[in-house]
């Protein structure tokens, strides 16, 4: 992205100060030797690596279809050299490479039909892309942009422009994007996710303060700020929605004191701080997924975070694991785990699933 906001899972890579862990590249999905999480789990969760192209071994999940049948992830070259990435889809036990051109490519979201949306950089310009019926194509946008969300109807949301950004929706069957109106006090904004009924969530930058405010565009065309949890001062808080499913919204909240996960319920008009570092994904039951550092974790409504197993000793897990997506019934969770360092001294992440119950 060209502005000051980065997605939680696009943060700059950090070296990990632990010993290397041997991790062979897999031609197909492999069950991993898991380290148990510190907190007791109500049901066993089996950890499995997503398949990788030959010669690559660093990867992380970037999206999943609403029904959990298609997972989007991307792989990196050894040593994380250069900026070329390898977007991938996993469906019905098979891996498909998505040949988006450019640099820092990713499929940010996908629906159950395998329609993937994302972004790339070409000649230093960020551009929105779509993957449909086995082919990739640039989405029309004024001065570039990015696509972050797609629903089952094929409606796509993101933004156009390099900066300031303008939130837009590419409705299925229409050639040009439609602008999503921002409030009068906004200088820039992005749409990040779209629900089955067409409700869109995102954020905008507030004029005068520079704070980033969470926002919802309803399917009838109206829009409004999302509420802040009780006790949080809106004047000093930043907040970003990541995902919306059946009216439940997950994201993260940044205050002067901490960064935490946040969960909204549109029907109730409520917002709550979670025991997660971020709410990267959420399902229609309100179960959010994220991390508790260093564990990946999920948190049900009226429940406490439940930690998921990783593959390294938690004491040595400098980078941390994270859950990114969750299926409607909670039986499938996708994310990444830390797996040590490579020969160049860079940390290794592995795109994985947890099958629970």
């Amino acid at each position: 992205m060209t502005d000051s906001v980065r997605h939680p899972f696009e943060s700059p890579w950090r070296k990990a100060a632990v010993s290397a862990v041997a991790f062979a590249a897999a031609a197909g999905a492999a069950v991993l030797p898991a380290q148990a999480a510190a907190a007791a789990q109500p049901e066993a969760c089996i950890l499995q690596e997503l398949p990788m192209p030959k010669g690559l071994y660093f990867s992380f999940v970037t999206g999943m279809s609403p029904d959990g049948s298609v997972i989007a992830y991307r792989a990196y070259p050894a040593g994380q050299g250069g900026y070329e990435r390898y977007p991938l889809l996993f469906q019905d036990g098979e891996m498909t490479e998505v040949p988006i051109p450019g640099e820092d490519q990713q499929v940010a979201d996908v629906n159950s039909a395998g329609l993937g949306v994302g972004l790339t950089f070409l000649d230093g310009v960020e551009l929105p892309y779509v993957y449909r019926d086995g082919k990739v194509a640039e989405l029309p946008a004024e001065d570039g942009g990015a696509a972050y969300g797609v629903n089952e109807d094929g409606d796509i949301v993101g933004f156009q422009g390099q900066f300031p950004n303008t939130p837009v929706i590419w409705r299925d069957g229409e050639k040009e994007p439609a602008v999503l109106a921002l409030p009068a006090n906004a200088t820039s904004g992005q749409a990040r996710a779209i629900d089955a009924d067409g409700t869109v969530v995102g954020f905008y930058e507030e004029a005068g303060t520079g704070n980033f405010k969470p926002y919802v565009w309803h399917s009838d065309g109206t829009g409004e700020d999302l509420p802040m949890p009780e006790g949080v001062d809106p004047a000093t808080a930043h907040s970003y929605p990541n995902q919306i499913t059946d009216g439940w919204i997950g994201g993260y909240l940044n205050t002067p004191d901490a960064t935490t996960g946040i969960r909204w319920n549109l029907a109730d008009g409520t917002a709550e701080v979670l025991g997660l570092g971020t709410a990267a994904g959420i399902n229609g039951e309100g179960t959010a997924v994220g991390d508790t550092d260093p564990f990946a974790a999920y948190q049900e409504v009226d429940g406490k975070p439940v930690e998921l197993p990783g593959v390294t000793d938690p004491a040595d897990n400098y980078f941390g694991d994270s859950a990114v997506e969750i299926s409607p019934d909670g039986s499938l969770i996708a994310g990444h785990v830390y797996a040590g360092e490579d020969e160049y001294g860079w940390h290794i992440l592995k795109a994985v699933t947890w099958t629970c119950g």
Side-chain angles (χ1 to χ4, degrees), residues 98-122:
V98 182
I100 299 174
E103 296 180 333
D104 205 21
Q105 314 98 305
Q106 72 165 302
V107 175
D109 198 15
V110 64
N111 67 16
S112 62
L115 191 159
V117 301
L119 58 137
T120 186
F121 285 84
L122 281 171

Side-chain angles (χ1 to χ4, degrees), residues 195-207:
D195 211 343
D197 67 355
T199 303
V200 178
V201 292
F203 60 86
Y204 67 90
E205 184 175 2
E206 185 179 45

Side-chain angles (χ1 to χ4, degrees), residues 214-254:
Y215 200 75
V216 57
W217 292 269
H218 299 290
S219 56
D220 64 3
T222 61
E224 62 182 318
D225 287 354
L226 287 169
M228 288 292 184
E230 184 177 354
V232 173
D233 182 2
T236 61
H238 297 270
S239 188
Y240 315 91
N242 288 321
Q243 194 173 94
I244 178 170
T245 306
D246 296 338
W248 286 97
I249 304 167
Y252 73 98
L253 174 70
N254 185 281

Side-chain angles (χ1 to χ4, degrees), residues 10 35-36 38 87 116 170 178 181 193 197 221 231 258 289 291-292 294 319 329 339-340 352:
E10 296 168 9
Q35 289 279 348
W170 292 268
D197 67 355
V289 294
D291 66 83
T292 59
F319 191 87
D329 64 0
V352 300

